[in-house]
Amino acid sequence: MANGTVTSSLTLGEIESALVGRLRSGGNGYYVAVLFSGVLMLVGAIAALYATVGGHHTVYNVTREIPWGVLISGYIFFVVTATGLCLVSSIGHIFGSKTFMPIAQRAVFLSIVTLMSGFFVILAEIKVPIRMLIYNIISPNFTSSIWWMGTLYGLALCLMIFEFIFLIIGRHRPAIACGFVALLAEIAAISNLAGVFGLLNGREFWHGPYLPIFFIASAMMVGASATIFFQILAQKVNGEPFTPMMRTCLAGARKVAILMICIILFFTIWRTVSTLVGMPNGQYVGVMAMLTGPYALSFWGGEILMALLAPLVLYLLSRGTNIRMMLIASGLMLIGAFFMRYNMVIVGQIIPVYIDLHVTGFTELLEYFPSANEIIITLGGFGLTGFLFLLGEKIFNGHKVEDH
Amino acid sequence: MIRNLIKNKQQNEGVEALSSDERRHFLKMGLKLTGVFAGGSLLSLASVVEKVYATPGQFNDKYPYKPHYSMIMHLDYCVDCERCIEACAVTNDIPKYGFRTNILERQIPDGIDQQVEFMPVLCNHCNVAQCARVCPTAATYKNEQNGIVMMDVKKCIGCLSCQLACPYNARYFNEEKWAVDKCNFCFDTRLSKGEDLTACAEACPAGVRIFGDISDQRSRVYREVHQVSRTVWVLRPEAGTKPNVFYTRG
């Protein structure tokens, strides 16, 4: 499987010995990381199974008024990251930019992995997943954004798996075709995901065209950072030096990340300003909850500092050459992006639907904090991403890509 | 043509160049345009039904369902005895942790004649039901005959997007049914068995909940909603769902 390609002359035995050899090539740190992420994933899976069998109400902190908790935030985090990775991979792999070529295959693989992590988390959120598998197919509702989102992400996952297979067997033309359709499916899926929230005119905090635009820009921002983060980790896992080509590639991803951070900052500032000036009630209450209320730490610390300002400063200071600084910036961005999704999902629900009626029990913001079980499942999603990333690096020999 | 436009634009530069005829013509056009919009708003005030249903004319002459089940609440009659909640729970086998109907309480500290008001709430069986739109498997849907928003329990995957979409907090997840549960105007437990009233409407000793077919001009709910002198409103009209539960006083 030299240069990431499999030739038909290899027997199964040879493939097996090659894989075992690669997996054995990792150092102690690698095995500890694989073990840690594997345990995280398993514990998360057990927690999800326990909740599904025993009933979500026994272990989740979601309520009638706040039906979507941290698991939906986690799902959105993973699938938006997946879309971002797909977008970044397409720059080199589909649109032919040489700068982004070295990271293309890894980005496709990570997009598959993060999408699978998203599905893992959402399966724990759906109360009767078995019915989903049946009735999503035999009783589709074409007016439902959720139906479109799930179907399109499912389609994108299948196409990206094919794309990845074509990439590793060196058939680039069908890989590009699959990749292009997968890209379209992911863009359509993320806009439907935003539509799940943006089309609800009973929820002023979400309603409107802002979220679809925000989501796609945010996906690109997180995708660029995830590319940098995992690329640097991969170099360390594989013990490979940073070649000039790879440095150029990281510098290119850094530029995309900087541009998108600026755009997201622009969006965030204008959303806040327009809400403070116009004071549309439902939206105003939500924005104030983030500016000065119970979600101030999550907003200022997580969303503004960790996801936007700190990465922006670090990326700028790194000048595209300081690898350590870029690793910290991209890591902070990924953690901050999780808070970004959390704030978006939860703050939209803590505003009671009857807040304008001034009725007892619905005059103040509602409260939600994830239960231990919900947190463990979410961490399990991260464990799954880490576990598959680490295994993938060895199994696919560092995702080395031929020029195509 | 473009040259003519440029020429005209140059000729119209500055208000001094406008003749009094042109000004008068422009003002008339403005008044006509304003009249169309203002007239639409004013007309909608004339009929409560048009205002309630948001789109003028759409439901004025004809209600989309037959029977078109609806309810009007006389807020000032409600004393929060909760017999409606109890009757609903018994009739529809509602677990303790859930409810299909509830009574909200509003404190009015500076009220002159009363300092508290009670507001019964339930599913509004909206004509533009957001819950039915968002459900990925059509587990919740508008009944094509009577407009009741119903649940097909076996199709519910428990994504709870309907709970999120409902502007009235009218839904909860029933752990025993493994599905979201909500008011269906007692369709399965009473209406389909020949009863005329929902359990809550029948149990109310004060006559707060008036249930009936709003497409029937002889029904009380039709007469009260269409009574010009009566103030009738719906909850959260800004959500644009065209609800079928109305509120009034007196």
Side-chain angles (χ1 to χ4, degrees):
Chain A
M1 225 190 286
N3 285 335
T5 59
V6 179
T7 57
S8 54
S9 59
L10 284 175
T11 63
L12 276 176
E14 284 169 333
I15 292 171
E16 189 189 346
S17 62
L19 287 180
V20 171
R22 283 175 190 172
L23 286 171
R24 281 185 178 166
S25 69
N28 286 340
Y30 174 78
Y31 293 126
V32 169
V34 169
L35 188 71
F36 178 72
S37 55
V39 168
L40 212 56
M41 178 183 74
L42 273 179
V43 173
I46 292 165
L49 200 64
Y50 180 76
T52 303
V53 174
H56 291 182
H57 62 294
T58 56
V59 282
Y60 292 175
N61 276 354
V62 287
T63 58
R64 177 180 180 129
E65 287 77 20
I66 303 180
W68 284 3
V70 72
L71 295 178
I72 293 286
S73 317
Y75 167 73
I76 294 173
F77 169 80
F78 285 119
V79 297
V80 170
T81 306
T83 302
L85 284 160
C86 183
L87 286 166
V88 172
S89 81
S90 72
I91 299 173
H93 166 49
I94 296 169
F95 298 111
S97 165
K98 297 257 181 217
T99 312
F100 286 84
M101 209 71 93
I103 47 109
Q105 184 174 311
R106 178 172 289 110
V108 172
F109 180 73
L110 284 169
S111 185
I112 294 170
V113 165
T114 44
L115 209 46
M116 286 168 73
S117 301
F119 286 153
F120 166 80
V121 175
I122 197 85
L123 267 181
E125 170 69 27
I126 301 291
K127 285 178 179 267
V128 199
I130 188 75
R131 284 188 193 150
M132 180 178 73
L133 300 174
I134 301 165
Y135 290 102
N136 259 8
I137 297 164
I138 66 170
S139 179
N141 179 7
F142 298 120
T143 65
S144 164
S145 306
I146 292 188
W147 186 86
W148 282 107
M149 175 200 68
T151 307
L152 287 165
Y153 268 128
L155 176 72
L157 180 64
C158 295
L159 284 166
M160 279 194 300
I161 290 171
F162 280 119
E163 179 190 5
F164 187 72
I165 292 169
F166 284 131
L167 277 176
I168 59 175
I169 62 174
R171 294 186 60 191
H172 296 298
R173 203 172 281 273
I176 290 170
C178 283
F180 184 66
V181 183
L183 176 70
L184 295 181
E186 289 242 14
I187 293 170
I190 198 174
S191 70
N192 273 288
L193 170 64
V196 169
F197 300 93
L199 291 179
L200 299 179
N201 34 349
R203 303 272 188 174
E204 217 170 337
F205 184 73
W206 294 323
H207 185 240
Y210 173 79
L211 279 181
I213 303 166
F214 177 82
F215 264 34
I216 197 79
S218 174
M220 196 71 185
M221 175 183 84
V222 178
S225 282
T227 303
I228 294 169
F229 183 76
F230 285 108
Q231 185 61 46
I232 297 172
L233 284 189
Q235 299 292 114
K236 296 203 181 296
V237 166
N238 298 318
E240 288 171 356
F242 286 92
T243 59
M245 198 180 170
M246 191 56 75
R247 285 182 183 276
T248 313
C249 175
L250 286 176
R254 165 189 163 269
K255 277 182 191 166
V256 173
I258 289 173
L259 173 68
M260 299 319 292
I261 290 173
C262 294
I263 291 173
I264 292 293
L265 268 172
F266 187 79
F267 279 169
T268 309
I269 290 167
W270 268 105
R271 185 205 165 113
T272 310
V273 169
S274 69
T275 306
L276 293 180
V277 173
M279 292 205 282
N281 194 27
Q283 196 167 315
Y284 180 74
V285 172
V287 167
M288 288 311 288
M290 294 200 293
L291 292 180
T292 57
Y295 288 80
L297 184 63
S298 182
F299 177 72
W300 290 110
E303 194 164 334
I304 299 297
L305 190 65
M306 286 173 84
L308 300 172
L309 293 182
L312 180 64
V313 171
L314 288 170
Y315 278 140
L316 288 172
L317 290 176
S318 75
R319 294 173 182 273
T321 54
N322 189 329
I323 300 293
R324 186 183 292 268
M325 216 176 258
M326 288 207 290
L327 178 69
I328 296 168
S330 55
L332 282 174
M333 157 85 74
L334 290 178
I335 300 167
F338 183 83
F339 283 100
M340 207 177 242
R341 313 294 173 234
Y342 184 80
N343 294 340
M344 194 281 292
V345 172
I346 307 301
V347 174
Q349 296 173 85
I350 59 167
I351 308 158
V353 290
Y354 285 132
I355 193 161
D356 286 340
L357 294 182
H358 307 289
V359 289
T360 308
F362 294 116
T363 52
E364 303 291 326
L365 293 177
L366 304 171
E367 287 179 10
Y368 166 79
F369 192 81
S371 68
N373 192 288
E374 287 172 282
I375 293 170
I376 290 168
I377 296 169
T378 310
L379 290 175
F382 284 95
L384 181 61
T385 297
F387 185 73
L388 292 181
F389 159 71
L390 291 168
L391 281 190
E393 284 304 320
K394 292 295 174 193
I395 292 171
F396 301 112
N397 200 23
H399 299 287
K400 292 180 184 66
V401 187
E402 289 175 333
D403 195 8
H404 59 272
Chain B
M1 188 185 171
I2 294 170
R3 202 171 293 160
N4 283 341
L5 280 172
I6 294 167
K7 200 176 160 189
N8 287 340
K9 195 183 175 210
Q10 283 169 342
Q11 281 174 351
N12 289 338
E13 286 268 310
V15 285
E16 295 83 9
L18 285 171
S19 69
S20 59
D21 273 358
E22 279 173 331
R23 288 184 190 187
R24 208 168 291 145
H25 178 70
F26 178 76
L27 278 172
K28 273 183 186 172
M29 189 176 71
L31 284 171
K32 277 179 191 167
L33 281 172
T34 315
V36 168
F37 287 107
S41 306
L42 292 170
L43 277 175
S44 71
L45 290 174
S47 163
V48 174
V49 175
E50 278 190 343
K51 188 151 180 66
V52 165
Y53 285 125
T55 313
Q58 194 175 353
F59 299 106
N60 194 20
D61 300 325
K62 192 179 171 187
Y63 287 96
Y65 306 102
K66 189 68 189 173
H68 190 120
Y69 287 122
S70 184
M71 191 177 275
I72 184 163
M73 306 277 194
H74 289 254
L75 274 194
D76 49 340
Y77 297 170
C78 183
V79 292
D80 193 27
C81 69
E82 297 194 355
R83 287 196 197 171
C84 50
I85 300 175
E86 284 165 25
C88 173
V90 170
T91 307
N92 299 300
D93 197 18
I94 308 295
K96 285 211 167 13
Y97 56 81
F99 59 83
R100 286 186 179 189
T101 184
N102 197 15
I103 298 174
L104 304 176
E105 182 184 317
R106 178 159 53 187
Q107 297 290 334
I108 316 162
D110 53 352
I112 293 170
D113 49 349
Q114 63 186 78
Q115 279 74 47
V116 64
E117 183 175 54
F118 300 107
M119 192 185 299
V121 288
L122 72 167
C123 170
N124 282 244
H125 298 280
C126 311
N127 281 1
V128 183
Q130 289 295 309
C131 52
R133 182 187 65 76
V134 302
C135 178
T137 57
T140 191
Y141 61 97
K142 283 285 280 182
N143 183 294
E144 288 178 5
Q145 273 78 48
N146 53 37
I148 294 176
V149 176
M150 296 207 182
M151 281 298 303
D152 187 347
V153 169
K154 70 173 186 300
K155 288 185 184 174
C156 179
I157 65 172
C159 66
L160 309 188
S161 54
C162 56
Q163 270 179 241
L164 199 74
C166 175
Y168 303 107
N169 189 25
R171 295 168 162 267
Y172 72 99
F173 191 81
N174 187 311
E175 299 292 340
E176 287 71 36
K177 289 182 180 174
W178 278 24
V180 167
D181 189 42
K182 65 173 291 296
C183 163
N184 60 1
F185 278 154
C186 294
F187 185 79
D188 53 339
T189 49
R190 293 177 61 90
L191 299 187
S192 63
K193 293 174 180 169
E195 300 279 355
D196 294 329
L197 292 178
T198 60
C200 57
E202 190 181 69
C204 180
V208 175
R209 296 170 182 242
I210 309 302
F211 175 76
D213 173 11
I214 200 170
S215 68
D216 178 2
Q217 296 191 1
R218 293 164 304 173
S219 72
R220 190 174 161 194
V221 67
Y222 176 90
R223 283 186 279 115
E224 291 199 350
V225 169
H226 285 253
Q227 193 180 343
V228 177
S229 60
R230 179 182 288 281
T231 306
V232 179
W233 67 94
V234 293
L235 300 183
R236 304 205 58 197
E238 79 283 1
T241 55
K242 298 178 184 173
N244 283 301
V245 174
F246 304 90
Y247 290 81
T248 187
R249 291 192 183 90

